[in-house]
Amino acid sequence: MKDMGHTPLLHAPADHPKVRMGKVGILLANLGTPDGYGYWPMRRYLNEFLSDRRVIDYSPFLWQPLLQGVILTSRPFRSGANYKSIWNHEAGESPLATITKAQTAGIAARMKERFGDRVMVDYAMRYGKPATIDRVRAMQEAGCDRIVFFPLYPQYAGATTATANDQFFRGLMKLKWQPASRTVPAYFEDSRYIDALAASVERAWSAAEVEPDILVCSYHGVPRRYLLEGDPYHCQCQKTTRLLRERLGWSEDRIVTTFQSRFGPEEWLKPYTVEEVARLAQAGKKRIAVIAPAFSADCIETLEEINEEIRESFEHAGGESFAYIPCLNDDEAHLDALSDVLTDNLAGWI
């Protein structure tokens, strides 16, 4: 449909409000980021994040007093120090924000090359800014009567993909005139994503002075009961690792799947990365590389947790060489893969 600009609708009376229409919006979504690493920005961010029932599904009558009391009194200091250690001080933002902006610009350029001015590309964060509802409203005002919503999580999980979609739908609920909408499904087995992932591993292996003994694929963890309740995340992570191994042409003993970022007292998906890297070191695997296939962009869980806490666990157990393979971020092959996935999901609309 041609962009009609701010013009009266066909056959509408002369006093009808002017509207834009005819564009397709692509809204990328990532987890989110605090505005700063000080106490109050961190407290606001953690409060929003840890109050999400998709993330922490305990009864709010039990959870909220604990969260608002003990946790949000002390945790912002510790988390703030971690963020400060990786902060992009030049841009005044977290690395996740910097990388997501670069990804958006790269995908926007590819969409413009393919479809001209008929497509608008923007991004939102599930927690923090820019808020999803604000970006949805801005897209509608710019003339987007169709929106493709793309959570940047290769594997589906209720605590990531689902809560991002929830927020998108909440945004639509606030509009008098809702754009038609689609959500992009998980792309954990898409050959273009696997190829980009494999290429990053091959580059790391070529650059290494001594080849690592094993590759650890560290995925963000979730409580084990989520798997038992039907969440497909664990299975999709396992399949990503298998497809990556097959694409690399490796034997099964050269790659392992682990899970990180455990929170709270209950059992989470195992093996835990921080424990497994120590076990590998003690078992004689003195040189390892770690990659995080569940993250589309480097963030606090990769730059601080993997590259500092998990590295320390490996070295303390006798490990000698630890290499972290960065997320795909704004790598050209990654942006090509994401753009191809989006083009598939635009079918019939453009």
Side-chain angles (χ1 to χ4, degrees):
M1 184 185 294
K2 185 178 180 181
D3 183 3
M4 299 172 63
H6 274 128
T7 58
L9 296 174
L10 190 63
H11 305 306
D15 61 349
H16 191 285
K18 295 178 180 180
V19 298
R20 282 188 181 274
M21 59 185 299
K23 285 181 178 283
V24 176
I26 293 174
L27 186 57
L28 311 175
N30 217 321
L31 181 74
T33 173
D35 296 329
Y37 49 78
Y39 177 81
W40 289 109
M42 285 304 313
R43 182 177 177 118
R44 285 193 298 271
Y45 174 74
L46 290 172
N47 182 49
E48 184 180 11
F49 176 49
L50 297 176
S51 292
D52 186 350
R53 294 295 305 279
R54 288 279 195 181
V55 175
I56 305 292
D57 63 355
Y58 302 146
S59 166
F61 295 103
L62 300 175
W63 173 244
Q64 280 297 321
L66 179 63
L67 175 64
Q68 300 302 326
V70 177
I71 295 174
L72 290 182
T73 297
S74 59
R75 192 176 177 90
F77 292 108
R78 185 169 67 255
S79 295
N82 292 339
Y83 267 97
K84 185 178 181 179
S85 71
I86 64 163
W87 200 253
N88 182 348
H89 293 278
E90 183 178 349
E93 61 191 14
S94 73
L96 178 65
T98 303
I99 294 166
T100 304
K101 289 177 183 178
Q103 290 173 327
T104 303
I107 291 173
R110 286 162 173 77
M111 292 297 104
K112 185 175 179 62
E113 182 178 339
R114 298 180 189 189
F115 305 114
D117 293 329
R118 293 174 291 170
V119 172
M120 173 183 178
V121 182
D122 205 345
Y123 77 96
M125 297 295 187
R126 170 60 183 91
Y127 314 104
K129 299 176 182 177
T132 303
I133 178 56
D134 293 339
R135 296 298 88 206
V136 169
R137 185 178 290 113
M139 281 191 157
Q140 186 192 49
E141 292 173 353
C144 297
D145 50 30
R146 290 149 294 169
I147 296 178
V148 175
F149 185 69
F150 192 3
L152 294 176
Y153 305 109
Q155 299 80 20
Y156 174 97
T160 54
T161 309
T163 190
N165 288 338
D166 289 346
Q167 198 73 348
F168 174 59
F169 297 137
R170 289 188 193 101
L172 292 175
M173 288 171 62
K174 296 182 180 180
L175 300 179
K176 291 292 185 183
W177 186 2
Q178 292 181 332
S181 62
R182 293 175 176 174
T183 60
V184 178
Y187 53 98
F188 66 98
E189 60 184 348
D190 190 286
S191 61
R192 297 159 295 194
Y193 159 68
I194 298 297
D195 285 346
L197 206 58
S200 72
V201 174
E202 290 169 342
R203 286 194 299 270
W205 249 241
S206 297
E209 294 184 4
V210 180
E211 186 174 285
D213 298 318
I214 195 166
L215 175 66
V216 176
C217 291
S218 180
Y219 297 84
H220 197 291
V222 297
R224 183 175 180 273
R225 63 184 169 84
Y226 288 11
L227 166 66
L228 303 179
E229 291 168 354
D231 193 306
Y233 178 70
H234 177 266
C235 299
Q236 293 184 2
C237 292
Q238 295 287 355
K239 188 168 185 179
T240 294
T241 299
R242 176 175 64 79
L243 292 174
L244 174 61
R245 178 181 60 79
E246 292 174 353
R247 166 62 178 75
L248 291 167
W250 288 2
S251 59
E252 293 185 11
D253 61 349
R254 295 188 64 189
I255 192 167
V256 62
T257 297
T258 64
F259 298 91
Q260 64 181 86
S261 308
R262 181 162 56 109
F263 177 82
E266 67 178 303
E267 180 183 359
W268 281 38
L269 297 179
K270 291 181 176 180
Y272 302 140
T273 305
V274 70
E275 295 177 0
E276 181 65 10
V277 296
R279 189 196 68 79
L280 288 171
Q282 293 165 355
K285 303 295 185 181
K286 301 298 185 181
R287 299 181 299 275
I288 68 170
V290 180
I291 193 170
F295 298 90
S296 63
D298 276 307
C299 54
I300 191 73
E301 285 85 359
T302 63
L303 298 175
E304 193 279 328
E305 185 178 358
I306 290 179
N307 224 3
E308 296 183 22
E309 178 185 345
I310 291 169
R311 176 193 292 270
E312 181 180 340
S313 175
F314 175 70
E315 293 176 347
H316 183 73
E320 298 172 359
S321 174
F322 181 101
Y324 169 62
I325 302 174
C327 292
L328 294 176
N329 296 326
D330 58 345
D331 176 78
E332 294 295 321
H334 187 215
L335 297 184
D336 287 341
L338 295 179
S339 297
D340 289 345
V341 170
L342 279 164
T343 298
D344 292 346
N345 282 271
L346 287 169
W349 272 5
I350 195 166

